[in-house]
Amino acid sequence: MKRKPLVIAAVLVLLVAAAAWFFMPQENEPSAQSRIVLEHTHRTFIAPSCFEQSDPTNFLEESTLGQAQELNYPPHSECTEKAFQSNQDSPAIRLLKELGLMEKTQTDW
């Protein structure tokens, strides 16, 4: 009989901890698998959303952010740099953005 209140208390503590984690902001970074365009002439990378305004050359390759980091290619422009900045969203906010209930701030990852 004395175990029942302990089990209920433990479950309540776990539920409160899970709810707190779900709404607590966390550092989110773009995946290494995020699509980018390598601009080999300038040895930079371009975010897909910034491609039209980047005035690229013809020496291009579609790749991933991880590959650009391996090659030590910097962002081509400020637009690309902003497109791949990390953010502070909670899991709840990330879920709402993925479901389309909130507008995404980063469209490239």
Side-chain angles (χ1 to χ4, degrees), residues 5 15 18 25 27 29 48 52 56 58 77-80 99-100 103:
L15 286 174
E27 185 74 23
E29 294 187 0
E52 293 297 323
N58 287 334
S77 65
E78 189 176 320
C79 175
T80 296
L99 293 174
E103 187 175 336

Side-chain angles (χ1 to χ4, degrees), residues 14-74:
L14 287 174
L15 286 174
V16 167
W21 172 83
F22 194 65
F23 293 102
M24 203 164 31
Q26 299 171 358
E27 185 74 23
N28 301 310
E29 294 187 0
S31 166
Q33 298 302 314
S34 298
R35 290 181 52 227
I36 52 104
V37 177
L38 294 174
E39 192 354 321
H40 292 293
T41 302
H42 300 292
R43 296 186 182 275
T44 59
F45 70 92
I46 304 168
S49 63
C50 302
F51 186 77
E52 293 297 323
Q53 66 190 32
S54 67
D55 193 30
T57 64
N58 287 334
F59 193 15
L60 304 172
E61 176 186 0
E62 185 176 342
S63 189
T64 63
L65 184 59
Q67 179 67 31
Q69 290 168 339
E70 285 178 23
L71 294 170
N72 291 321
Y73 279 15

